[in-house]
Amino acid sequence: MSSALTFALFSIVLIAASVFYLFFYRNWRRNRELEQAFPERWRTLLKEQVPYYSRLRPEQRAPFEQRVQLFLSEKDFYGCDGFEVDERVRLTVAGHACLLILTRPFSYYDDIRSILMYPDVYRVRHAWEHGMIVHESEEIRAGEASSHGQVVLAWSQCEQAANNHHSPHNVILHEFAHQLDYLDGSADGAPPLSGEQARHWQQTMSRAYENLQNTIEHHHKPWLDPYGATEPAEFFAVLTEAFFQQPEHLHREQAEVYEALKDYYRLDPLHAR
């Protein structure tokens, strides 16, 4: 065989392999993963750690479990400050995170690569500039999301939400809502939307955001965690917590907001069985 023909064959094989890897490998790998049976012990853990799991309708169970299965196969978990990440921890995080994409493609989480788990709230040094002066302070955090594919969570706060499904706070839902917000390239309080849905979202959420800020400014009891008034991105994340954790309260106080979230997530926690 001539060197030219050898080179041509090698080039064809290389191009074919590159095309397969770029366009088909991820789906092939995911299909292979989903051929594996969903472990029964995972269902037991989900029932214990993700209260909403037991409220899913029968036709929702399989899509949800598939997303959890892919999440666990693709996302790397790392324990920080000596924390040991076990199966319960991974299922708790995956279960809550996948609720947000139950009716969406799993590809919405493609950019997430790693989950860092602290045993409890942790300290982060924060620096900012004011003129020529650089200020530094320490912040205590329960979680944070990054547009660079990383989510950080404090297990004590995750476990608290898992044990009390009526709690207004759920750090897992909060941080993964931020990941949905990042999908259009900016953390602006609006996940990817189009057409009439986008216009309705903008109008509804702008009014509700201003309402929350005015309520706080006038020293009245806010209808939502005040942290949601800090910026639109936090407003969306806190609303997502309320939507799943306290749907009755959210619907009573801001029915139009509840309907906008129901339209986006394509779920109705208020009437889940």
Side-chain angles (χ1 to χ4, degrees):
M1 183 181 295
S2 68
S3 57
L5 183 56
T6 300
F7 178 77
L9 290 174
F10 175 78
S11 299
I12 292 171
V13 171
L14 181 62
I15 292 171
S18 299
V19 169
F20 174 78
Y21 182 79
L22 290 173
F23 299 103
F24 302 104
Y25 174 71
R26 176 176 281 171
N27 286 336
W28 174 82
R29 185 186 62 196
R30 287 176 176 172
N31 289 333
R32 286 288 301 273
E33 176 63 33
L34 294 178
E35 289 175 359
Q36 308 300 314
F38 195 83
E40 195 60 39
R41 69 180 184 280
W42 287 8
R43 293 191 175 99
T44 300
L45 285 171
L46 287 173
K47 288 176 183 177
E48 295 173 356
Q49 299 297 116
V50 186
Y52 201 93
Y53 175 70
S54 297
R55 300 165 64 193
L56 292 174
R57 296 193 303 272
E59 67 271 17
Q60 295 174 322
R61 286 286 181 94
F64 176 75
E65 292 177 353
Q66 288 176 348
R67 283 156 178 74
V68 168
Q69 194 167 349
L70 293 177
F71 192 100
L72 294 180
S73 72
E74 296 185 8
K75 314 306 177 187
D76 295 319
F77 283 75
Y78 299 96
C80 303
D81 284 354
F83 182 69
E84 183 178 343
V85 177
D86 59 16
E87 202 167 60
R88 178 178 296 272
V89 172
R90 296 171 74 237
L91 262 297
T92 302
V93 174
H96 283 93
C98 289
L99 278 179
L100 303 189
I101 58 166
L102 175 57
T103 63
R104 304 278 174 177
F106 185 75
S107 59
Y108 273 39
Y109 285 166
D110 278 355
D111 290 338
I112 301 172
R113 296 186 299 275
S114 57
I115 318 294
L116 276 61
M117 301 296 305
Y118 282 85
D120 203 345
V121 293
Y122 54 95
R123 297 179 183 274
V124 175
R125 295 195 65 82
H126 177 63
W128 73 97
E129 294 183 5
H130 182 72
M132 300 292 291
I133 301 175
V134 177
H135 301 269
E136 287 191 357
S137 65
E138 276 194 343
E139 294 182 357
I140 296 178
R141 295 182 180 176
E144 56 190 294
S146 165
S147 58
H148 303 298
Q150 189 177 84
V151 176
V152 186
L153 297 167
W155 172 244
S156 64
Q157 305 304 299
C158 300
E159 193 170 35
Q160 184 180 63
N163 293 335
N164 180 8
H165 64 276
H166 293 302
S167 167
H169 302 295
N170 187 311
V171 66
I172 308 172
L173 296 178
H174 185 104
E175 302 307 339
F176 280 90
H178 281 315
Q179 294 295 330
L180 297 179
D181 196 356
Y182 289 141
L183 287 173
D184 59 3
S186 62
D188 56 4
L193 301 164
S194 60
E196 181 57 34
Q197 188 183 30
R199 287 189 292 272
H200 182 259
W201 180 280
Q202 176 65 28
Q203 294 170 0
T204 301
M205 297 305 178
S206 294
R207 284 196 301 268
Y209 184 61
E210 291 174 6
N211 176 279
L212 179 62
Q213 290 184 317
N214 290 335
T215 299
I216 295 171
E217 287 173 5
H218 288 85
H219 307 288
H220 298 308
K221 183 179 179 180
W223 55 272
L224 188 71
D225 181 350
Y227 188 56
T230 56
E231 59 179 283
E234 298 301 342
F235 186 60
F236 172 56
V238 172
L239 277 178
T240 294
E241 292 181 78
F243 180 70
F244 284 98
Q245 298 287 121
Q246 296 185 312
E248 296 88 353
H249 172 76
L250 181 58
H251 187 268
R252 182 175 63 250
E253 297 293 333
Q254 294 282 328
E256 193 174 7
V257 170
Y258 182 90
E259 292 299 322
L261 289 165
K262 185 177 77 171
D263 186 45
Y264 173 69
Y265 284 116
R266 302 171 190 162
L267 290 171
D268 187 2
L270 190 60
H271 298 105
R273 69 178 182 87

